[in-house]
Amino acid sequence: AKLKSFAAKIIQLLKEWTETFPYDFQDEKSMKELKEIAHRITQCDEENGTVKKIISQMTQNLLMALSARSQYQEIREKFRQPVTDKGTILKTKPQSTQKDILSICCDPLILAQQLTYIELERVSNIYPEDLMQIVSHMDSLDNHKCRGDVTKTYNLEAYDNWFNCLSMLVATEICRVVKKKQRTRMVEFFIDVARECFNIGNFNSMMAII
């Protein structure tokens, strides 16, 4: 009975650990140790197999989380590869093919909703371990300067880069309009988008637009 009670606590610990810090189990050594512990725990409840089901579900969720984050990282690496000068690309394109944001989406609410979907996608990939990684590499609590060997913070970088990309998109869309009347309309449009972001609760996109 004591062994079963102890096993239940270990299972709870492993569940919270794998859900909160899945990156701790990305290497083969730690995954092997997890499986060995799981195997020993399942032996404590061989009669009804409840523990085995819980362990199996926990392992499956962990593998799915690691797979999703690995795929996300691969996509991130593709976007980080150097590209040719975007200014040159714009110049070589005919003026008629250079569509502005209004020709693609003229409804501020719809654009605000799409921006919010992107924000939620970025946020959903940020785990406590991403924040812990930065905290663990701080030189001191006084200056909050991070060292150059910070790793495993790709998801935070992606979120930060998205903020900068949105700011540059807004600036580009406004500045590339030649006529003052059209430029004024573009500014007013993005003000409306920022207002809709505020109403939704998407303050990050709102601040990027501002």
Side-chain angles (χ1 to χ4, degrees):
K2 287 183 178 180
L3 195 60
K4 287 184 179 180
S5 176
F6 178 73
K9 293 176 181 178
I10 291 294
I11 290 171
Q12 183 64 28
L13 172 65
L14 291 177
K15 278 188 67 178
E16 293 186 13
W17 191 353
T18 54
E19 289 172 3
T20 309
F21 299 99
Y23 257 17
D24 286 354
F25 302 93
Q26 65 179 344
D27 59 276
E28 293 182 7
K29 183 181 178 182
S30 56
M31 184 62 77
K32 183 181 178 182
E33 290 176 350
L34 176 65
K35 289 179 179 179
E36 288 176 357
I37 295 170
H39 177 69
R40 293 182 67 179
I41 293 172
T42 53
Q43 292 177 337
C44 301
D45 186 39
E46 292 182 339
E47 296 87 10
N48 53 28
T50 305
V51 172
K52 189 175 182 179
K53 290 179 181 177
I54 296 172
I55 293 292
S56 177
Q57 186 64 47
M58 179 194 72
T59 306
Q60 186 177 352
N61 292 340
L62 174 61
L63 293 173
M64 287 175 63
L66 290 173
S67 176
R69 300 193 75 182
S70 177
Q71 291 175 0
Y72 185 72
Q73 177 56 23
E74 287 177 8
I75 295 170
R76 284 272 297 111
E77 288 298 330
K78 288 181 181 178
F79 281 110
R80 293 177 72 177
Q81 292 175 0
V83 294
T84 55
D85 184 18
K86 293 183 178 65
T88 307
I89 295 171
L90 281 173
K91 289 175 183 176
T92 55
K93 281 187 176 182
Q95 192 67 30
S96 58
T97 63
Q98 296 181 23
K99 294 182 179 180
D100 59 27
I101 195 75
L102 289 173
S103 64
I104 299 170
C105 178
C106 60
D107 190 336
L109 177 58
I110 292 176
L111 181 56
Q113 289 172 343
Q114 294 301 315
L115 293 176
T116 305
Y117 288 137
I118 297 172
E119 292 281 349
L120 291 172
E121 188 269 335
R122 296 291 192 278
V123 171
S124 66
N125 286 285
I126 297 176
Y127 285 75
E129 60 191 339
D130 295 308
L131 303 174
M132 292 297 295
Q133 188 69 22
I134 287 182
V135 172
S136 65
H137 284 79
M138 284 183 178
D139 290 331
S140 67
L141 294 175
D142 296 324
N143 54 24
H144 285 75
K145 290 182 179 178
C146 293
R147 297 173 189 167
D149 59 345
V150 177
T151 57
K152 292 193 280 188
T153 59
Y154 307 110
N155 300 317
L156 283 170
E157 287 179 16
Y159 195 52
D160 185 52
N161 290 339
W162 161 245
F163 183 96
N164 296 330
C165 286
L166 179 55
S167 294
M168 288 187 285
L169 171 67
V170 173
T172 302
E173 288 295 322
I174 294 170
C175 292
R176 76 176 187 167
V177 179
V178 179
K179 295 181 180 179
K180 290 183 180 179
K181 189 176 181 180
Q182 292 177 339
R183 186 173 291 185
T184 303
R185 185 189 173 199
M186 189 70 72
V187 171
E188 290 174 347
F189 172 73
F190 278 113
I191 290 172
D192 291 337
V193 174
R195 186 182 290 110
E196 293 296 344
C197 286
F198 175 83
N199 293 334
I200 294 172
N202 181 1
F203 304 113
N204 200 59
S205 289
M206 181 195 72
M207 290 304 299
I209 293 169
I210 291 173

